[in-house]
Amino acid sequence: MVVGGAGYIGSHTAHALRRHGYDAILYDNLSRGHRFLAEGFELIVADIADRSQLSRALKRVAGVMHFAADSQVGESVQHPRKYFTNNVEGGLALLNAVIDADVRKFIFSSTCAVYGVPAKVPITEDTPRQPVNPYGMSKLFFEDALESYGRAYGLRSVSLRYFNAAGADEGGNIGEVHDPETHLIPSALKAITGERGALELFGDDYPTADGTCIRDYVHVNDLAEAHVLAFKHLDAVNNSARYNLGTGKGESVQQVISTIEDVTGTRVPRRVGPRRGGDPPELVADPSLAQAALGWKATRSLHDIVRTAWQWEQKLRQRGKNTVRMTSA
Ligand code: UDP
């Protein structure tokens, strides 16, 4: 069961599961997810706090992948209550239902935000976890809950710490849809199409080669593949395991913008603004543990990420136009 399966990474993982011969049931309350991203799959529309829906659905599953969470750092600082309620309280309701249903396999969407501002990069899994915002804190709590539940109840779990998820499925039918959109690549693409104003570049005075922040952008389908490998790996996991999912290669905001301009052949309208609160200068994964344990390695480049994101952006615009036409007809 893919909880949050109508969301960005959940929907890509559902497709990856199917490619590998698994049946996937999607479970999503559609607060952030979209029904059209779940097309072709059984979708249960319900909340993770809904015990009766959960216990009915869990009777039919061999394992759970949990993607259903609020995931915007800035919003979590403004509205910590929402993050602790949905990600911690809601997450625990799900976890308890899983235990009560005698399901013992669990894959969790974690994040590099659990590390906060690391003392060194690339970041290995044994880096102290010191999140600097409520989003990261909520994920840290859940990682620890999984470990405790593993020891006490025999739950086997893998927490996958994503770096910057980006790009879209090569097939062109699913991709990233956030409202509002705050992420760098879709924001830059929307600045090109005129769907929004100029991209604001959050700071160019960081202690990096070109002054802009460095991140590790990993293609969503590489992440999706990692979930399938992690699920297969659960039998070998004693209790709980945690792996970084990144490429190991950092790209600056300027480098991302240059790649977008190469792929689209269009200048990204932009202006330099102040730094965004809570942005560390550099976050890059050391993904070697995931490679050793899961046999996983990101295979898609930044160019692939931008190319598929651009294809998806155009599809979304087309979809938007068709929807407006259908509504007004
Ligand atoms: N960024 C930017 N302008 C934007 C959005 C993002 O300059 O409109 C920068 C941001 O400061 C960070 C990088 O792009 O250094 C990636 O940000 P994003 O929000 O995509 O992901 P995050 O790293 O916050 O998960």
Side-chain angles (χ1 to χ4, degrees):
M1 184 159 88
V2 183
V3 181
Y8 176 40
I9 306 173
S11 61
H12 286 77
T13 301
H15 283 261
L17 282 165
R18 179 172 282 169
R19 282 196 295 276
H20 287 266
Y22 291 96
D23 283 330
I25 301 172
L26 314 193
Y27 189 101
D28 201 302
N29 69 2
L30 298 182
S31 68
R32 298 250 175 169
H34 300 270
R35 196 179 281 278
F36 74 94
L37 293 181
E39 237 162 59
F41 289 87
E42 176 182 349
L43 170 67
I44 299 171
V45 180
D47 197 87
I48 50 175
D50 185 337
R51 284 195 69 89
S52 67
Q53 286 274 15
L54 270 180
S55 65
R56 208 171 314 139
L58 284 164
K59 287 198 179 87
R60 302 162 52 206
V61 311
V64 169
M65 295 191 178
H66 173 33
F67 298 87
D70 288 316
S71 61
Q72 286 180 25
V73 169
E75 185 190 53
S76 80
V77 176
Q78 304 291 323
H79 303 290
R81 178 175 179 163
K82 180 176 179 194
Y83 278 70
F84 292 126
T85 303
N86 292 348
N87 296 2
V88 176
E89 210 177 309
L92 269 185
L94 169 66
L95 190 54
N96 291 334
V98 166
I99 295 299
D100 291 345
D102 284 329
V103 174
R104 290 293 181 269
K105 290 186 171 185
F106 202 95
I107 306 291
F108 176 54
S109 285
S110 192
T111 165
C112 65
V114 297
Y115 297 116
V117 183
K120 64 170 182 56
V121 290
I123 303 170
T124 51
E125 284 81 353
D126 56 6
T127 301
R129 295 170 306 157
Q130 295 166 330
V132 291
N133 52 62
Y135 168 62
M137 291 169 201
S138 71
K139 293 284 181 174
L140 169 61
F141 171 87
F142 205 83
E143 282 193 356
D144 287 345
L146 288 174
E147 187 177 344
S148 306
Y149 277 43
R151 282 216 196 87
Y153 310 129
L155 182 74
R156 291 169 193 264
S157 71
V158 171
S159 294
L160 296 171
R161 295 177 182 155
Y162 315 149
F163 281 66
N164 285 56
D169 184 53
E170 288 85 359
N173 291 323
I174 52 173
E176 186 167 13
V177 196
H178 294 121
D179 189 18
E181 186 53 75
T182 62
H183 292 121
L184 177 63
I185 294 172
S187 298
L189 296 175
K190 287 183 198 306
I192 286 180
T193 60
E195 232 175 296
R196 52 161 283 164
L199 176 78
E200 186 171 349
L201 209 154
F202 297 141
D204 66 353
D205 57 351
Y206 282 94
T208 58
D210 64 22
T212 64
C213 284
I214 294 175
R215 295 287 179 274
D216 183 338
Y217 295 88
V218 54
H219 195 282
V220 64
N221 268 354
D222 279 327
L223 294 181
E225 291 293 326
H227 287 75
V228 179
L229 292 171
F231 190 73
K232 291 182 178 167
H233 167 73
L234 277 175
D235 288 328
V237 173
N238 211 346
N239 165 345
S240 59
R242 294 130 185 218
Y243 303 113
N244 286 340
L245 296 183
T247 64
K249 187 166 181 278
E251 312 273 0
S252 72
V253 174
Q254 281 293 5
Q255 287 171 314
V256 172
I257 290 174
S258 299
T259 306
I260 291 174
E261 293 183 337
D262 280 352
V263 169
T264 62
T266 312
R267 189 175 183 279
V268 176
R270 59 182 175 277
R271 61 168 187 277
V272 176
R275 292 181 179 195
R276 182 172 69 175
D279 265 345
E282 187 170 1
L283 293 173
V284 178
D286 177 339
S288 47
L289 195 60
Q291 183 164 11
L294 306 177
W296 177 84
K297 193 173 184 318
T299 59
R300 295 159 179 93
S301 65
L302 180 62
H303 194 275
D304 296 328
I305 287 175
V306 172
R307 188 176 43 77
T308 53
W310 181 228
Q311 175 183 323
W312 174 245
E313 199 58 49
Q314 286 162 313
K315 176 117 181 190
L316 267 186
R317 274 171 69 74
Q318 202 50 46
R319 209 192 127 80
K321 282 189 195 132
N322 288 341
T323 312
V324 172
R325 221 176 285 138
M326 277 157 56
T327 318
S328 54

